[in-house]
Amino acid sequence: MSTHSGERSGTRGAVAAWSLWDWGSAAFNAVIVTFVFAPYLTSGVAADEASGSTALGWTTAAAGLVIALVAPAIGTRADTGGRHRFWLGFHTFVVVAAMAGMFFVEDSPSHLWLGLVLLAVASVFFEFAEVSYNSILLSLSTPATVGRISGLGWGLGYAGGLALLVLLLVTVIQPEVGLLGATDEGGLRYRLVAVLAAVWFAVFALPVLLIGPRSATEAAASADPAASGGTGPSGAADPAAAPRARGRFPLSYFRGFAADYRRLLRRLLRMWREDRLTLRFLIASAVFRDGLAAIFAFAGVLAAGSYGFTASEVIVLGVAANLVAGTGAILAGVLDDRLGSKRVIVVGLLCLIAGAVPIAVSDSPTVFWVAAMFLCVFVGPVQASSRSFLARITPAEHAGENFGLYATTGRAVSFLGPLMFSTAIAVLGYQRAGALGIALVLAVGLLLIVRLKEPAHAEAASGADHDTSASTGSSLEKSE
């Protein structure tokens, strides 16, 4: 794996500062996207649950399309350097501002689109923030530590989501009159939750922005300004990055993105010629990982809209879901080593598809609880073994490139889950049918992964990165 050693590389303080961003980001994934604010939009703001869920699905799909068009260039740019901490701070600020703006979304259908637009903007910029956040990981780790450090971040993401959900449950959501006078009137309870989640994210994002490590390219740019234009594999200036330095804004900005897309295209063409197994896996994993992200994105929406869960019950569901998914991800490391990555992925996807069916056919809250926990058992293992599969088939010298594409391809199809969720509701006419749309996305991913063959030498190729199979997952997409 390509590694870097910024000025604070590998120190405990730097790792802790970096990991706290993941802890804080759970405020967006768990509270806003999954278990509190999105269900409030569809059940409390929209005229009815079905139309609200459909609108949420279309809006999320549109945000995914924006991500698909822009994120590949941002991901490629992250490989060639830049002011990672600056862009992480900027994108995080936009997310926090959008979350705070949700305070103005009252429980009236006339406020639905304000809430949806704010949610879409936050989703897009959260993905952009993660590009810079993941790039900084290369400055903290070596091939022998990247799994543990990455796992610490993901683990803190689960823990942060749990901590904030429980805190909000007992202080704002459950009491008749909660913190800061929170009541149901005008949706004030949920509007205050959005603001408190924004504060939580902002506070825990500060350490990495103030004392976190710089990427190697960022450090090099400080020593040599000429290096800021990007470097090639040998350390020489990368001609493809040069257009970013020419001309005036916005022309130079679009030239830079065009250069990034050309670089991405060259990488994909080289992979098509020399490494089709990896390319086909990236495509397959992008599809089924988007299905996994959709499970978390719409779980709270279905619980509130189709099964009548109260806000408190949705929070309890979120706590249980995070616990079960986290446990599944940890166990996946052992199963992956014994059975192989592909077997864990295939079995997991089959179980996920089967687990979606009861939700579509039954309106019993008990059935939903059982099905939801069953789904969460397998979400973690599929995520973990997907990352492990790629580690096993990736030579060390191409790890940075391949995992960069792993993230980029996941974003490129991030509209599929929301699109199929909304389409299934529109075609079949009831909210629970959205589960069948998600199952269809998972089924397509299953068909793509079944045809791949895990090579016999895969385990040797994974080397010290083998432990990454046990460390994935976050309460949203992290889907990715």
Side-chain angles (χ1 to χ4, degrees), residues 69-397:
L69 293 174
V70 180
I74 287 182
T76 303
R77 182 168 298 192
D79 278 346
T80 59
R83 299 162 64 192
H84 293 295
R85 281 193 300 177
F86 170 81
W87 286 113
L88 175 61
F90 175 78
H91 293 142
T92 300
F93 171 80
V94 175
V95 177
V96 169
M99 292 167 65
M102 293 172 186
F103 176 79
F104 300 101
V105 181
E106 299 181 12
D107 59 350
S108 166
S110 62
H111 288 78
L112 176 62
W113 282 104
L114 172 61
L116 291 173
V117 169
L118 287 172
L119 183 60
V121 169
S123 298
V124 169
F125 279 89
F126 185 85
E127 292 285 350
F128 294 167
E130 285 202 317
V131 171
S132 295
Y133 177 70
N134 292 333
S135 297
I136 293 174
L137 174 61
L138 298 179
S139 304
L140 291 168
S141 61
T142 67
T145 63
V146 64
R148 291 193 294 274
I149 294 174
S150 177
L152 175 63
W154 284 114
L156 284 179
Y158 275 123
L162 288 171
L164 184 56
L165 285 171
V166 172
L167 181 63
L168 292 174
L169 178 66
V170 300
T171 60
V172 180
I173 296 173
Q174 202 168 47
E176 184 176 350
V177 179
L179 186 69
L180 303 176
T183 64
D184 291 332
E185 184 177 356
L188 180 61
R189 193 184 306 275
Y190 307 99
R191 292 155 55 199
L192 284 174
V193 162
V195 174
L196 293 173
V199 172
W200 177 281
F201 193 3
V203 168
F204 289 106
L206 284 176
V208 71
L209 301 178
L210 297 177
I211 64 172
R214 295 185 299 173
S215 67
T217 48
E218 198 176 356
S222 298
D224 180 9
S228 61
T231 59
S234 64
D238 186 347
R244 285 198 292 271
R246 302 194 193 108
R248 296 181 177 180
F249 184 85
L251 183 59
S252 62
Y253 183 82
F254 289 109
R255 282 177 175 171
F257 269 97
D260 291 328
Y261 271 104
R262 288 195 297 272
R263 187 181 300 107
L264 177 66
L265 181 60
R266 287 197 298 270
R267 291 167 69 181
L268 292 174
L269 288 175
R270 185 174 70 251
M271 192 170 286
W272 172 258
R273 292 191 301 267
E274 302 172 2
D275 190 8
R276 292 193 186 183
L277 172 62
T278 301
L279 181 60
R280 291 169 60 194
F281 172 74
L282 290 172
I283 295 170
S285 68
V287 173
F288 66 70
R289 283 186 292 136
D290 192 53
L292 300 179
I295 291 174
F296 275 106
F298 296 107
V301 170
L302 287 173
S306 293
Y307 296 95
F309 280 35
T310 65
S312 297
E313 290 171 334
V314 173
I315 296 296
V316 173
L317 174 69
V319 170
N322 277 272
L323 283 172
V324 172
T327 302
I330 294 172
L331 293 176
V334 178
L335 295 174
D336 188 288
D337 288 340
R338 295 181 178 179
L339 305 177
S341 304
K342 180 180 173 181
R343 289 183 180 178
V344 174
I345 294 172
V346 170
V347 172
L349 290 175
L350 286 170
C351 292
L352 288 168
I353 294 167
V357 175
I359 296 175
V361 301
S362 174
D363 59 1
S364 167
T366 301
V367 170
F368 176 77
W369 256 107
V370 173
M373 293 303 101
F374 180 79
L375 290 171
C376 289
V377 168
F378 295 99
V379 166
V382 172
Q383 290 175 322
S385 289
S386 175
R387 183 167 165 179
S388 176
F389 187 105
L390 183 57
R392 291 172 185 271
I393 65 174
T394 298
E397 63 270 20

